[in-house]
Amino acid sequence: MKNKDEVFKRVISHAKEYGFIFQSSEIYDGLSAVYDYAQMGALLKKNIRDYWWHAMVRLNDNIVGIDAAIFMHPTTWKASGHVDAFNDPLIDNKDSKKRYRADVLVEDYVANKIEAKIDKEIQKAAKRFGADFDQEQFEQTNPRVLGYKEKAATILKRLARSLEDENLEDVKALIEELEIACPLSGSKNWTDVKQFNLMFGTKLGASAETATDLYLRPETAQGIFVNFLNVQKTGRMKIPFGIAQTGKAFRNEIVARQFIFRMREFEQMEMQFFIKPGTQQKWYEHWKSHRLKWHLSLGMGKENYRFHDHEKLAHYADAAADIEFKFPFGFKELEGIHSRTDFDLSSHENYSGKKLQYFDPEENTSYVPYVLETSIGLDRMFLAVYSNSLQEEELEKGTRTVLKLPSVLAPYKVAVLPLLKRDGLPEIAKSIVEDLRFDYDVVYDEKDAVGRRYRRQDAIGTPFCLTVDHQTLEDQTVTIRERDSMNQERVAISSVGEMLRKEVSMSEWLKRL
Ligand code: ATP
């Protein structure tokens, strides 16, 4: 059994080795918490985005999609509350001069000093009991593990309470009581905890005197709110209706070593659903269950998801929950579902002086709609899919690394491999590629022994390999090998298109939603 750190490291190195994710500007030693998607990663990311977009926009008559600009009028961020309240609690170490997120220091302490002990107990017990080991039962009954869990929960509860109450002195007190040292210098010489705004500022305009201060948007939602009435009128939308959008967001996060879980430039997939005031509870439940269903449709294991209901709510919300996913480093937020009331639209009304109301023709009245939001990070979803899919399998002869991606998301749906580089086999293989490439991302590979080529495709998650051999010349059949089972079957070339449509096409997966 590998520990969490090793699993996470493996995910990061595999993502680099196979062309999924590179550090940004690596030749200059990279830029912290900024990453580039490479040739495989860009395809996987696009497929996740499409799967979300089609599920939200194409499959719903009452949801439309937009693509608003990253730059917005600066007053937007006053109205949204980001200028005044979009902060993280930061603390500096006086000796190393390094800056940390105070809450992350405490969370890391819990993960490294307490949860690591739990992992150790589990590993020891797993070794002792062998095949009979029941991890769940062990975790629920072992007194040492229970003691550690209680300690971790007490610390995290206190942290959450202090943050919610904006009691930054207590956050510092907690860091001191736990004797947390700077990971760099080992020093415990800390400054006070201070709030730090996460928005990136920039300037619009040619000269320093006339330039306007702008922000790079920290969320895509506001582009939807400011366009609410334009879309409603031009699209003749009737409440309830939704506006969806995917796009970049920017946050000056103070983080280390979280790979694409927490980035400074990332992509969100958000949908704001405009509803009649008073119906928010119904729609909150509706979107919670619909979004979970979308996740479960990918077949990544029900046990890897859980809801976390927020007790203390953000200034704009009257109910909120996260869908958490079991990442290599534990359960963490993947998506938020927020009942935002009329906070945003009313606030934009106040700041802009423009009415943002819906005229309800049935009731002959106008009102500011309430909003239900679903907000998921595309990069976080990428990490969820990727880390869940990456597996090492013991085979009779050695091990294989396989990326068991949901086939609808796989970068390449099929690889076409001539068994040999002669006798007309490459020509047939290439003609199959030419047939399939209009519908699917297909790859042709003729280099190395076929076994090695299978392994290469396993490692990038290609669900099917088609091998063209001498029998193909005689009867127009190929061998089709399935990634997960490694089963091989002989099929007619003419049946491949239909088989792929059933197994990997977006439309078939969407029909199962
Ligand atoms: P967290 O508590 O993890 O910082 P958040 O509650 O601030 O997240 P939201 O503002 O609700 O996040 O954003 C919605 C979604 O956007 C999150 O559920 C997450 O998937 C994604 N997200 C937020 N911040 C980042 C980031 N820095 N990098 C990657 N994804 C992010």
Side-chain angles (χ1 to χ4, degrees), residues 251 253 261-263 266 268 333-334 338 375 377 380:
R251 297 182 186 179
E253 306 266 14
F261 180 82
R262 193 177 299 286
M263 300 155 91
F266 59 102
Q268 290 187 312
E333 171 178 344
L334 170 60
H338 310 127
S375 173
R380 245 180 230 190

Side-chain angles (χ1 to χ4, degrees), residues 288-303:
K288 267 175 80 176
S289 79
H290 264 65
R291 291 303 304 145
L292 184 63
K293 202 166 154 210
W294 180 85
H295 285 284
L296 296 179
S297 74
L298 290 169
M300 298 200 299
K302 206 169 174 215
E303 68 286 0

Side-chain angles (χ1 to χ4, degrees), residues 340-357:
R340 294 181 76 118
T341 69
D342 60 356
F343 172 82
D344 303 89
L345 290 180
S346 295
S347 187
H348 285 304
E349 274 199 331
N350 287 340
Y351 276 88
S352 68
K354 309 267 163 44
K355 273 207 173 337
L356 291 175
Q357 302 196 352

Side-chain angles (χ1 to χ4, degrees), residues 86 88 101 218-219 251 253 260-268 270 310 316 322-323 333-336 338 373 375-381:
F86 193 53
D88 269 348
R101 251 178 78 172
E219 62 173 27
R251 297 182 186 179
E253 306 266 14
I260 57 168
F261 180 82
R262 193 177 299 286
M263 300 155 91
R264 295 201 163 112
E265 174 180 341
F266 59 102
E267 195 165 334
Q268 290 187 312
E270 297 198 297
H310 293 204
Y316 55 76
D322 298 333
I323 295 178
E333 171 178 344
L334 170 60
E335 169 156 10
H338 310 127
E373 166 182 80
S375 173
I376 174 169
L378 174 51
D379 314 86
R380 245 180 230 190
M381 184 64 196

